[in-house]
Structure formats: structure tokens, C-alpha cells
Amino acid sequence: MRKILILVLSADFPPYDKMVQTSLETWDSIEQEGCETVYYFGKSNKQNTDKFIYLPVQESLLSMGQKTLMAFEWALQNIEFDYIARPHSCIYVNKKELVKYIDSLPNENVFSGLMVEDKRPWLWGGCGYIISKDVVKKLVDNKLRLDIRKME
């Protein structure tokens, strides 16, 4: 069975703190074999737990790309996974359907999400996305070449 890390982009202030709490009480209260959920936040005086990690970056719309790359680095160092599902804290995740969908994907070179067709097509992170571990590693290995000044 593939191991899925649901890595939730979060913030520790209103209204996002309530969204995290709602997730914990709804979709994330349901156990699903092969799934582990971790919520990641920016700078805080709070300590990391098995469910919440706090990264040394200021919370801002413009720091989300940096925060996400830091979360990917953390995941590669601390969690065994085959895929990362990266929703925002406002998204409901049906873990059972997520597992079914990921089971239909190839083992490598997966970066799946909602594509926005424009002059230069881009992936809209607001809907969440799924990345295979090899792609996560490529992103982290090439982080200095990425333009993370924009949201994601």
C-alpha cells in the first residue's frame, strides 16, 4: 500500500485556526490506512508535535512558497511517504477517495492538481495538489532555482 502524507498548509491565527480545528474534528478524525496528516504553520513559540509543525518563516501570503518548500524538506527528513497531498486548511479531504485516486497514479513524476490555462499555464495550489516523492525531492533539490516570491 502506498503511504500518503496529507500536508496541510495552515496558519495559527483567525480564521485559519478554526479551519484547522474543524478539520481535526471532521475529516481528519477518520482513520484511513496509509494516510498520515501533518499541519504546517509559520513561525511560532509553540513546539512541534506529531500533528503540527512550526517553521521558521513569517506568516504571509508572500511567504507561502517558502513555507511549503520548508515543509517538503521537513517531510523528506522526518516522514516515510510515497505521495504528498497538499490541501489548504479550508479544504475537506475524503481520505478514502484520496487513497483510491492515488492508487490510480503512476509511481513517479506525479504533480497533479487544477491547471489554470493562461498565456503561461500554472497549477492553482488553492485547490490542493498531489506530488509523488521523487517530484518533492526534485523541488527541494532545486529550491534555489524556484521563484517563491509569489504565493506558491
Side-chain angles (χ1 to χ4, degrees), residues 3-4 10 17 36 46 58 63 67 108 111 114 151:
K3 294 182 180 182
I4 303 165
S10 310
D17 56 343
E36 178 177 355
K46 297 179 180 178
Q58 285 299 121
S63 67
K67 186 166 78 168
E108 297 179 316
F111 202 145
L114 178 64
M151 286 177 59

Side-chain angles (χ1 to χ4, degrees), residues 35-91:
C35 288
E36 178 177 355
T37 307
V38 173
Y39 299 79
Y40 67 101
F41 305 85
K43 194 179 290 185
S44 175
N45 292 329
K46 297 179 180 178
Q47 297 294 313
N48 288 356
T49 68
D50 61 335
K51 201 78 157 161
F52 296 163
I53 61 167
Y54 300 92
L55 302 165
V57 61
Q58 285 299 121
E59 290 287 8
S60 164
L61 288 175
L62 300 178
S63 67
M64 286 192 334
Q66 180 183 11
K67 186 166 78 168
T68 296
L69 277 172
M70 293 171 109
F72 288 169
E73 286 180 291
W74 177 89
L76 287 167
Q77 295 169 6
N78 293 284
I79 304 284
E80 189 176 325
F81 67 91
D82 299 307
Y83 292 86
I84 286 180
R86 208 307 320 267
H88 284 199
S89 58
C90 62
I91 293 177

